[in-house]
Structures are given as structure tokens and as C-alpha cells.
Amino acid sequence: MSFTLRPMTETDWSAWLDIDEEAFGSAVPPHRREQYRAVTEFDRSLGAFDGDLLVGTAGVCSFTMTVPGGPIPVAGVTSVGVLPSHRRRGILSALMTRQLADIRDRGESVAALYAAEAAIYGRFGYGRAADTMFFDIPRHGATLAAHAPDDPALRLRVVRPADARDVFEKIFESVLGSRPGLYARTAARWDRVLSDHDADQRGAGPLRAVVVEDDGGPRGYALFRIRPGATPHDVPDGELRLHELFALDPEAYALLWRHVLDRDLVARIRAAARPVDDPLIHMLAEPRHLNAGWLDDLWIRLVDVGRALASRAYSAPVDVVIEVADPVCPWNEGRVRLTAGPSGVRCVPTGDPAEVSLPVTALGSAYLGGRPLTPLRSAGLVREARAGAVRELSTAMSWEPAPWAGLVF
């Protein structure tokens, strides 16, 4: 079919939201429409038009995201959708390909997204780079082990979320650089985090918050909701739904969890979107009561392989020639030599024989340090021409703590 691509204008906004509702099968309530608008960058929101009809969308949020070694600019891909009436006509491929070229032209070397359908984005070079866990903890199994950190100088303070926003922002800014995948939040994004309309509550009541502090000031916070309930015999059966929990140190972190796990009238605690190395895994006295599940979090795409690899730090020295396959972004095709050591990091084109050959998706998966390359070799995605080269590269790209963004954009 014939269609044109162009950036969205404000006059296209209503049609953009209509596509969002149709593509994702959801209704966007009025207050959330305004929140979406506040975080939308119109000049980075690409539309596909069939005549005057908007039939496909793909947006970008400009982020500063933590990667191993520090922050870099990252393009946060969002609102990717095509009208059901126009699927299977090449619109998605055209949008994604054009978007990647635009990202490169803006000087960003990395793109990130949350995948509504995991099978889609590998076609465009995105690799599953970060994972998340969810916990479903019964109150009767919510005791922390004796070794869990403790600080008698700490105290808890129940606060109204709207009144403590500056506290949350300050704590989050302090932890932002501690974990790959976390990204800086604008005022508009904080508005969404703290939004408390009926549609946000989903039957779980108003947003609640607790801050942990000492005489020096706040050291952590938790945001949650409580869905009240009781059994037919009037036994409390409430559910606490944890949204966020961040702390500056292990003692504050443990105290926040003690509070969350010990609320009155609550029978279970459901914590969505937790990092896969959450210390709670090792603090709960009976870890089987975590009832944990595992999902994908961030997907990463190296838009400019050389610049992206040179923009992060490495956990061990490495000197390896990498051959990259990237049919979607042909400027990445070819071989580069990655060298990292005491003198710094360099990644430059080379004519030397390849020692590791892989698709750009594999590099995206490994980029934040949470997904080793050696299993990808066993899966047939990575090839090795020099014995030990894959392990060398995988070890160098590994990082602690595990990557995690924890907040869908």
C-alpha cells in the first residue's frame, strides 16, 4: 500500500490516542490523556498516514539512562502501534526503520523499549537486556531473617504522597546512578508516578507512602496501595500492592520491607516489577514464600555499535574483534575491535579477522551487563573463532547490580 511518514503535530494528537486504544485494546481515561501529552515529544513522534488518515505511530522519549559506568543519552521508544485495519502492510517495518535512522541522526547510540509483544522487536535489532521479578508473598510467610540489616537510629514516617514528592525525587536522584537501566524522571513523569485518580487505583484505594529517615534526613521511601477485604468469616484479607521501594542503604531498605510486609489487615503482599537481584530474596526467612515470577524488562538496541560500546565501562580487560550482523541498520555491519583496560575504552573499525561474530540483538542483550553472551553462544546466536573470546567479551560486559528500569515509559 502507499503511505507517508512524517512527525506528528499537535493537530494529530486525538488520532494518535485513538490508535493507541485500538492497537493495545485499552481505553485511555481523560486524566491519562493529559499525562501522555505532557511526556510526548511531538517532533520525535512519527506517524504513518494513509492519505489523511493516521494509521501507525512510533514515539521516542529522550532519556538520560544509567549504563555500566555512568549515564548516557538514550532514546526511549514508545507508543508503537498500527491500526488493526492496516496490519501486515509494511507500516510497522517502515516506522521502526525510519525511527532508528532518526535516532542515529540525533546522535543517540542506544535505544530502549518495553515490549508489548516480545516476538516483535528482535526483528528490528532489539535484544532482551534486563529482567524483572514479581513477588506474591503471604503475610504468614513475610518474616525477615535474623541477619537482615538493622539500624536502631532509623524511624518510619507515614506521609501523603503529594506532600512528600520532593523527598521521593531527592532519594531517586541519589540512587539513579547505582543501577544500569534506571533513567532520569522529568516532572511530567513524576506526575504519572504519583497520579491517584480512580482509574489509577484499580480498586486498591489511594496511593500511600512511607519514608524512612534518621536525624540526617530521609534515606528511603515506598509507594503502595492497599485493597481492603475480608473472608466470609470476617477474617482480614487485604492485599498490599507495592509500586516503588528505593533506599540509600541496606538498613533503610530492610526497614521499608519490614513495614510493607507487616501492615495490619493485609493477607498478601504483591510486589510488581522488582529487580532480579532484589536483596529481599536473601532477607526473607522462608524464601519460598516469595512466590516469584520472572518477566522481561528493558529491551536494548545499539543504534551505533561503535559509539555505544565505547560509551560504557567494562568489568574486566578485553581486546576482541567483533563482527556484527545488522541488516536493519547497515551502517553497523562489519568488524570492530573493542579494547578496554586501564588506559580507557576504544571501539574502532578494523580489517582484522573476526574473533566473535554475532547479531546486533545479542550485543543489545548484553549491553547493560545483565545477560551473558556464553548462553547465547550455546543457543547458536554467537560464533567464536578464537578460543575463549566469547567468555572474555561476556565477562568484560557483565555488571553488578543487575540492570532494571522498573517503570514502563
Coordinates of all heavy atoms in Angstrom, one line a residue, residues 292-370:
A292 N 7.8 -16.1 43.5 CA 8.4 -15.2 42.5 C 8.1 -15.6 41.1 O 8.0 -16.8 40.8 CB 9.9 -15.0 42.7
G293 N 7.9 -14.7 40.2 CA 7.8 -14.9 38.8 C 8.8 -14.0 38.0 O 9.2 -13.0 38.6
W294 N 9.1 -14.4 36.8 CA 10.2 -13.7 36.0 C 9.6 -13.2 34.7 O 9.0 -14.0 34.0 CB 11.3 -14.8 35.9 CG 12.5 -14.3 35.2 CD1 13.3 -13.2 35.5 CD2 13.2 -15.0 34.1 NE1 14.4 -13.2 34.7 CE2 14.4 -14.3 33.8 CE3 12.9 -16.2 33.4 CZ2 15.2 -14.7 32.8 CZ3 13.8 -16.6 32.4 CH2 15.0 -15.8 32.1
L295 N 9.9 -12.0 34.4 CA 9.5 -11.4 33.1 C 10.6 -10.6 32.5 O 11.6 -10.2 33.2 CB 8.2 -10.5 33.3 CG 6.9 -11.1 33.8 CD1 6.0 -10.1 34.3 CD2 6.3 -12.0 32.8
D296 N 10.4 -10.2 31.2 CA 11.4 -9.3 30.6 C 11.1 -7.8 31.0 O 9.9 -7.4 31.3 CB 11.3 -9.4 29.1 CG 10.0 -9.2 28.5 OD1 9.0 -10.0 28.8 OD2 9.8 -8.2 27.7
D297 N 12.1 -7.0 31.1 CA 12.0 -5.6 31.5 C 12.5 -4.8 30.2 O 11.8 -4.8 29.2 CB 12.9 -5.3 32.7 CG 12.6 -4.0 33.3 OD1 11.5 -3.7 33.8 OD2 13.6 -3.1 33.4
L298 N 13.6 -4.2 30.3 CA 14.1 -3.4 29.1 C 14.6 -4.3 28.0 O 15.3 -5.3 28.2 CB 15.2 -2.5 29.6 CG 14.9 -1.3 30.4 CD1 16.1 -0.6 30.8 CD2 14.0 -0.3 29.6
W299 N 14.4 -3.8 26.8 CA 15.0 -4.3 25.5 C 15.9 -3.2 25.0 O 15.5 -2.0 25.0 CB 13.9 -4.7 24.5 CG 13.1 -5.9 24.9 CD1 12.3 -6.0 25.9 CD2 13.1 -7.1 24.2 NE1 11.7 -7.3 26.0 CE2 12.2 -8.0 24.9 CE3 13.7 -7.6 23.0 CZ2 11.9 -9.3 24.5 CZ3 13.4 -8.9 22.6 CH2 12.6 -9.7 23.4
I300 N 17.1 -3.5 24.6 CA 18.1 -2.6 24.2 C 18.5 -2.8 22.7 O 18.7 -3.9 22.3 CB 19.3 -2.6 25.1 CG1 19.0 -2.2 26.5 CG2 20.5 -1.8 24.5 CD1 18.6 -0.7 26.6
R301 N 18.7 -1.7 22.0 CA 19.1 -1.7 20.6 C 20.3 -0.8 20.5 O 20.2 0.4 20.8 CB 18.0 -1.2 19.7 CG 17.8 -1.8 18.3 CD 18.9 -1.3 17.4 NE 18.6 -2.0 16.1 CZ 19.4 -2.1 15.1 NH1 20.7 -1.7 15.2 NH2 19.1 -2.7 14.0
L302 N 21.4 -1.3 20.0 CA 22.6 -0.5 19.7 C 22.4 0.1 18.3 O 22.5 -0.5 17.3 CB 23.9 -1.3 19.8 CG 24.2 -2.0 21.1 CD1 25.6 -2.5 21.1 CD2 23.8 -1.2 22.3
V303 N 22.2 1.4 18.3 CA 21.9 2.2 17.0 C 23.2 2.5 16.4 O 23.3 2.5 15.1 CB 21.1 3.4 17.3 CG1 20.8 4.2 16.0 CG2 19.8 3.1 18.0
D304 N 24.2 2.8 17.1 CA 25.6 3.0 16.7 C 26.5 2.1 17.5 O 26.9 2.5 18.6 CB 26.0 4.5 16.8 CG 27.3 4.8 16.2 OD1 28.3 4.0 16.3 OD2 27.5 5.9 15.6
V305 N 26.9 1.0 17.0 CA 27.6 -0.1 17.7 C 28.9 0.5 18.3 O 29.2 0.3 19.5 CB 27.8 -1.3 16.9 CG1 28.9 -2.2 17.6 CG2 26.5 -2.1 16.7
G306 N 29.7 1.1 17.5 CA 31.0 1.6 17.9 C 30.9 2.6 19.1 O 31.6 2.5 20.1
R307 N 30.0 3.6 18.9 CA 29.9 4.6 19.9 C 29.2 4.0 21.2 O 29.6 4.4 22.3 CB 29.0 5.8 19.4 CG 29.8 6.6 18.4 CD 28.9 7.8 18.0 NE 28.5 8.6 19.1 CZ 27.2 8.9 19.3 NH1 26.3 8.6 18.5 NH2 26.9 9.7 20.4
A308 N 28.3 3.1 21.0 CA 27.6 2.5 22.2 C 28.6 1.7 23.0 O 28.7 1.9 24.3 CB 26.4 1.7 21.8
L309 N 29.4 0.9 22.4 CA 30.4 0.1 23.1 C 31.4 0.9 23.8 O 32.0 0.6 24.9 CB 31.0 -1.0 22.2 CG 30.0 -2.1 21.7 CD1 30.8 -3.0 20.7 CD2 29.4 -2.8 22.9
A310 N 31.8 2.0 23.2 CA 32.8 2.9 23.7 C 32.2 3.8 24.8 O 33.0 4.5 25.6 CB 33.4 3.8 22.6
S311 N 30.9 3.8 25.0 CA 30.3 4.7 26.0 C 30.0 4.1 27.3 O 29.5 4.8 28.2 CB 28.9 5.3 25.4 OG 29.1 6.0 24.2
R312 N 30.4 2.8 27.5 CA 30.1 2.2 28.8 C 31.4 1.7 29.4 O 32.5 1.7 28.7 CB 29.2 1.0 28.6 CG 29.5 0.0 27.6 CD 28.9 -1.4 27.9 NE 29.6 -2.0 29.1 CZ 29.2 -3.1 29.6 NH1 28.2 -3.8 29.1 NH2 29.8 -3.6 30.7
A313 N 31.4 1.3 30.6 CA 32.6 0.7 31.3 C 32.5 -0.8 31.2 O 31.5 -1.4 30.9 CB 32.6 1.2 32.7
Y314 N 33.6 -1.4 31.6 CA 33.8 -2.9 31.5 C 34.3 -3.4 32.8 O 35.1 -2.8 33.5 CB 34.6 -3.3 30.3 CG 33.9 -2.9 29.0 CD1 34.0 -1.6 28.5 CD2 33.1 -3.8 28.3 CE1 33.4 -1.3 27.3 CE2 32.4 -3.5 27.2 CZ 32.6 -2.2 26.7 OH 31.9 -1.8 25.5
S315 N 33.9 -4.6 33.1 CA 34.3 -5.2 34.4 C 35.6 -5.9 34.4 O 36.2 -6.3 35.5 CB 33.2 -6.3 34.8 OG 32.0 -5.6 35.1
A316 N 36.2 -6.1 33.2 CA 37.5 -6.8 33.1 C 38.1 -6.3 31.8 O 37.5 -5.9 30.9 CB 37.3 -8.3 33.1
P317 N 39.5 -6.4 31.7 CA 40.1 -6.1 30.4 C 39.6 -6.9 29.3 O 39.3 -8.1 29.5 CB 41.6 -6.3 30.7 CG 41.7 -6.3 32.2 CD 40.4 -6.9 32.7
V318 N 39.5 -6.3 28.1 CA 39.1 -7.1 26.9 C 39.8 -6.5 25.7 O 40.0 -5.3 25.6 CB 37.5 -7.0 26.8 CG1 37.1 -5.6 26.6 CG2 37.0 -7.9 25.7
D319 N 40.1 -7.4 24.8 CA 40.7 -7.0 23.5 C 40.2 -8.0 22.5 O 40.7 -9.1 22.4 CB 42.2 -6.9 23.5 CG 42.8 -6.4 22.2 OD1 42.0 -6.0 21.3 OD2 44.0 -6.3 22.1
V320 N 39.1 -7.7 21.8 CA 38.5 -8.7 20.9 C 37.9 -8.0 19.6 O 37.5 -6.9 19.7 CB 37.4 -9.4 21.7 CG1 36.3 -8.5 22.1 CG2 36.8 -10.6 20.9
V321 N 38.0 -8.7 18.5 CA 37.5 -8.3 17.3 C 36.1 -8.9 17.1 O 35.9 -10.1 17.1 CB 38.3 -8.6 16.1 CG1 37.7 -8.2 14.8 CG2 39.7 -8.0 16.2
I322 N 35.1 -8.0 17.0 CA 33.7 -8.4 16.9 C 33.1 -8.1 15.5 O 33.3 -7.0 15.0 CB 32.8 -7.6 17.9 CG1 33.5 -7.7 19.3 CG2 31.4 -8.1 17.9 CD1 32.9 -6.7 20.3
E323 N 32.5 -9.1 14.9 CA 31.8 -8.9 13.6 C 30.3 -8.9 13.9 O 29.8 -9.8 14.5 CB 32.1 -10.1 12.7 CG 31.5 -9.8 11.3 CD 32.1 -10.7 10.2 OE1 32.6 -11.8 10.6 OE2 32.1 -10.3 9.0
V324 N 29.7 -7.8 13.5 CA 28.3 -7.5 13.8 C 27.5 -7.7 12.6 O 27.8 -7.1 11.5 CB 28.1 -6.1 14.4 CG1 26.7 -5.8 14.8 CG2 29.0 -5.9 15.6
A325 N 26.4 -8.4 12.7 CA 25.4 -8.5 11.6 C 24.2 -7.6 12.0 O 23.6 -7.8 13.1 CB 24.9 -10.0 11.5
D326 N 23.8 -6.7 11.1 CA 22.7 -5.8 11.4 C 22.1 -5.4 10.1 O 22.3 -4.3 9.5 CB 23.2 -4.6 12.1 CG 22.1 -3.7 12.7 OD1 21.0 -3.9 12.3 OD2 22.4 -2.7 13.4
P327 N 21.2 -6.2 9.5 CA 20.5 -5.9 8.3 C 19.6 -4.7 8.3 O 19.3 -4.0 7.3 CB 19.7 -7.1 7.9 CG 19.5 -7.8 9.2 CD 20.7 -7.5 10.0
V328 N 19.1 -4.3 9.5 CA 18.2 -3.2 9.6 C 18.9 -1.8 9.6 O 18.5 -0.9 9.0 CB 17.3 -3.3 10.9 CG1 16.4 -2.1 11.0 CG2 16.5 -4.6 10.8
C329 N 20.1 -1.8 10.2 CA 20.9 -0.6 10.3 C 22.3 -1.0 9.6 O 23.3 -1.3 10.4 CB 21.1 -0.1 11.7 SG 19.6 0.4 12.5
P330 N 22.4 -0.9 8.3 CA 23.6 -1.4 7.6 C 24.9 -0.7 8.0 O 25.9 -1.2 7.8 CB 23.2 -1.2 6.2 CG 22.1 -0.3 6.1 CD 21.4 -0.4 7.4
W331 N 24.8 0.5 8.6 CA 26.0 1.2 9.0 C 26.7 0.5 10.1 O 27.9 0.8 10.4 CB 25.6 2.7 9.4 CG 24.6 2.8 10.5 CD1 24.8 2.7 11.8 CD2 23.2 3.0 10.3 NE1 23.6 2.8 12.5 CE2 22.6 3.1 11.6 CE3 22.4 3.2 9.2 CZ2 21.3 3.3 11.8 CZ3 21.0 3.5 9.4 CH2 20.5 3.5 10.7
N332 N 26.0 -0.4 10.8 CA 26.6 -1.2 11.9 C 27.3 -2.5 11.4 O 28.1 -3.1 12.1 CB 25.6 -1.6 12.9 CG 25.2 -0.4 13.9 OD1 26.0 0.4 14.1 ND2 24.0 -0.4 14.3
E333 N 27.0 -2.9 10.2 CA 27.6 -4.1 9.6 C 29.1 -4.0 9.5 O 29.7 -3.0 9.2 CB 27.0 -4.4 8.2 CG 25.6 -4.7 8.2 CD 25.3 -6.2 8.2 OE1 26.3 -7.0 8.3 OE2 24.1 -6.6 8.2
G334 N 29.8 -5.1 9.9 CA 31.2 -5.1 9.8 C 31.9 -5.5 11.1 O 31.3 -6.0 12.0
R335 N 33.2 -5.2 11.1 CA 34.0 -5.7 12.3 C 34.6 -4.4 13.0 O 35.0 -3.4 12.4 CB 35.2 -6.5 11.8 CG 34.7 -7.9 11.2 CD 35.9 -8.8 11.0 NE 36.8 -8.4 10.0 CZ 36.6 -8.6 8.7 NH1 35.6 -9.2 8.2 NH2 37.5 -8.1 7.8
V336 N 34.6 -4.6 14.3 CA 35.2 -3.5 15.2 C 36.1 -4.2 16.2 O 35.9 -5.4 16.6 CB 34.1 -2.7 15.9 CG1 33.3 -1.9 15.0 CG2 33.2 -3.6 16.8
R337 N 37.1 -3.5 16.6 CA 38.0 -4.0 17.7 C 37.6 -3.2 19.0 O 37.7 -2.0 19.0 CB 39.4 -3.8 17.4 CG 40.3 -4.3 18.6 CD 41.8 -4.2 18.2 NE 42.2 -5.2 17.2 CZ 42.6 -6.4 17.5 NH1 42.5 -6.9 18.8 NH2 43.0 -7.2 16.5
L338 N 37.1 -4.0 20.0 CA 36.8 -3.4 21.3 C 38.0 -3.7 22.2 O 38.4 -4.8 22.4 CB 35.6 -4.0 21.9 CG 35.2 -3.7 23.3 CD1 34.9 -2.2 23.4 CD2 34.1 -4.5 23.8
T339 N 38.5 -2.6 22.8 CA 39.7 -2.7 23.7 C 39.3 -1.9 24.9 O 39.0 -0.7 24.9 CB 41.0 -2.1 23.1 OG1 41.2 -2.8 21.8 CG2 42.1 -2.4 24.0
A340 N 39.4 -2.5 26.1 CA 39.1 -1.9 27.4 C 40.1 -2.3 28.4 O 40.5 -3.5 28.5 CB 37.7 -2.2 27.9
G341 N 40.6 -1.3 29.1 CA 41.7 -1.6 30.1 C 42.0 -0.3 30.9 O 41.2 0.6 30.8
P342 N 43.1 -0.3 31.6 CA 43.5 0.8 32.4 C 43.5 2.1 31.7 O 43.3 3.2 32.2 CB 44.8 0.4 33.0 CG 44.8 -1.1 32.9 CD 44.1 -1.4 31.7
S343 N 43.9 2.1 30.4 CA 44.0 3.3 29.6 C 42.7 3.8 29.0 O 42.7 4.8 28.4 CB 45.0 3.1 28.5 OG 44.6 2.1 27.6
G344 N 41.6 3.1 29.2 CA 40.3 3.5 28.8 C 39.7 2.5 27.8 O 40.1 1.4 27.7
V345 N 38.7 3.0 27.1 CA 37.9 2.1 26.2 C 38.0 2.7 24.8 O 37.8 3.9 24.6 CB 36.4 2.1 26.6 CG1 35.6 1.2 25.7 CG2 36.3 1.6 28.0
R346 N 38.2 1.8 23.8 CA 38.2 2.2 22.4 C 37.4 1.1 21.6 O 37.5 -0.1 21.9 CB 39.6 2.3 21.8 CG 40.4 3.4 22.4 CD 41.8 3.5 21.7 NE 41.8 3.9 20.4 CZ 42.1 3.3 19.3 NH1 42.5 2.0 19.4 NH2 42.0 3.8 18.1
C347 N 36.6 1.6 20.7 CA 35.9 0.6 19.8 C 36.0 1.3 18.4 O 35.3 2.3 18.1 CB 34.5 0.4 20.2 SG 33.6 -0.9 19.3
V348 N 36.8 0.7 17.5 CA 37.1 1.2 16.2 C 36.9 0.2 15.1 O 37.1 -1.0 15.3 CB 38.5 1.9 16.1 CG1 38.6 3.0 17.1 CG2 39.5 0.8 16.4
P349 N 36.6 0.6 13.9 CA 36.5 -0.4 12.8 C 37.9 -1.0 12.5 O 38.9 -0.4 12.8 CB 36.1 0.5 11.6 CG 35.4 1.7 12.2 CD 36.2 2.0 13.5
T350 N 37.9 -2.2 12.1 CA 39.1 -2.9 11.8 C 38.9 -3.9 10.6 O 37.8 -4.4 10.4 CB 39.6 -3.7 13.1 OG1 40.8 -4.4 12.8 CG2 38.5 -4.7 13.5
G351 N 40.0 -4.2 10.0 CA 40.0 -5.2 8.9 C 40.6 -6.6 9.4 O 40.7 -7.5 8.7
D352 N 40.9 -6.6 10.7 CA 41.4 -7.9 11.3 C 40.3 -9.0 11.3 O 39.1 -8.7 11.3 CB 41.9 -7.7 12.7 CG 43.1 -6.7 12.8 OD1 43.8 -6.6 11.8 OD2 43.3 -6.2 13.9
P353 N 40.7 -10.2 11.3 CA 39.7 -11.3 11.3 C 38.9 -11.3 12.5 O 39.3 -11.0 13.6 CB 40.6 -12.6 11.2 CG 41.9 -12.1 10.7 CD 42.1 -10.7 11.2
A354 N 37.6 -11.7 12.4 CA 36.7 -11.7 13.5 C 37.0 -12.8 14.5 O 37.4 -13.9 14.1 CB 35.2 -11.9 13.0
E355 N 36.9 -12.5 15.8 CA 37.1 -13.5 16.8 C 35.7 -13.9 17.4 O 35.6 -15.0 17.9 CB 38.0 -12.9 17.9 CG 39.4 -12.6 17.4 CD 40.2 -11.8 18.4 OE1 39.8 -10.8 18.9 OE2 41.4 -12.2 18.6
V356 N 34.8 -12.9 17.4 CA 33.4 -13.2 17.8 C 32.5 -12.6 16.8 O 32.6 -11.5 16.4 CB 33.1 -12.6 19.2 CG1 31.6 -12.7 19.6 CG2 34.0 -13.1 20.3
S357 N 31.5 -13.4 16.3 CA 30.5 -13.0 15.4 C 29.2 -13.1 16.0 O 28.8 -14.2 16.5 CB 30.6 -13.8 14.1 OG 31.9 -13.7 13.5
L358 N 28.4 -12.1 15.8 CA 27.0 -12.1 16.5 C 26.1 -11.1 15.8 O 26.5 -10.1 15.2 CB 27.1 -11.9 18.0 CG 28.1 -10.8 18.5 CD1 27.7 -9.4 18.1 CD2 28.1 -10.8 20.0
P359 N 24.8 -11.3 16.0 CA 23.8 -10.3 15.5 C 23.7 -9.1 16.5 O 24.1 -9.3 17.7 CB 22.5 -11.1 15.5 CG 22.7 -12.1 16.6 CD 24.1 -12.5 16.5
V360 N 23.3 -8.0 16.1 CA 23.2 -6.8 16.9 C 22.3 -7.0 18.1 O 22.4 -6.4 19.2 CB 22.8 -5.6 16.1 CG1 21.3 -5.6 15.7 CG2 23.2 -4.3 16.8
T361 N 21.3 -7.9 17.9 CA 20.4 -8.2 19.1 C 21.2 -8.8 20.2 O 20.9 -8.5 21.4 CB 19.3 -9.3 18.6 OG1 20.0 -10.4 18.0 CG2 18.4 -8.7 17.6
A362 N 22.2 -9.6 20.0 CA 23.0 -10.2 21.1 C 23.8 -9.2 21.8 O 23.9 -9.2 23.1 CB 23.9 -11.3 20.5
L363 N 24.3 -8.2 21.1 CA 25.0 -7.1 21.8 C 24.1 -6.3 22.6 O 24.4 -5.8 23.7 CB 25.7 -6.2 20.7 CG 27.1 -6.7 20.2 CD1 27.6 -5.7 19.2 CD2 28.1 -6.8 21.4
G364 N 22.8 -6.1 22.1 CA 21.9 -5.3 22.9 C 21.5 -6.0 24.1 O 21.4 -5.4 25.2
S365 N 21.4 -7.4 24.1 CA 21.0 -8.2 25.2 C 22.1 -8.0 26.3 O 21.8 -8.0 27.5 CB 20.9 -9.6 24.9 OG 19.7 -9.8 24.1
A366 N 23.4 -8.0 25.9 CA 24.5 -8.0 26.8 C 24.9 -6.5 27.3 O 25.6 -6.4 28.2 CB 25.7 -8.6 26.2
Y367 N 24.3 -5.5 26.6 CA 24.9 -4.2 26.8 C 24.8 -3.6 28.2 O 25.7 -3.0 28.7 CB 24.1 -3.2 25.9 CG 24.8 -1.8 25.8 CD1 26.0 -1.6 25.2 CD2 24.2 -0.7 26.5 CE1 26.6 -0.4 25.2 CE2 24.7 0.5 26.5 CZ 26.0 0.7 25.9 OH 26.6 1.9 25.9
L368 N 23.7 -3.9 28.9 CA 23.6 -3.4 30.3 C 24.2 -4.3 31.3 O 24.2 -3.9 32.5 CB 22.1 -3.2 30.6 CG 21.3 -2.2 29.8 CD1 19.9 -2.1 30.3 CD2 22.0 -0.8 29.9
G369 N 24.8 -5.4 30.9 CA 25.6 -6.2 31.8 C 24.9 -7.3 32.5 O 25.5 -8.0 33.4
G370 N 23.6 -7.5 32.2 CA 22.8 -8.5 32.9 C 22.6 -9.8 32.2 O 22.0 -10.7 32.8

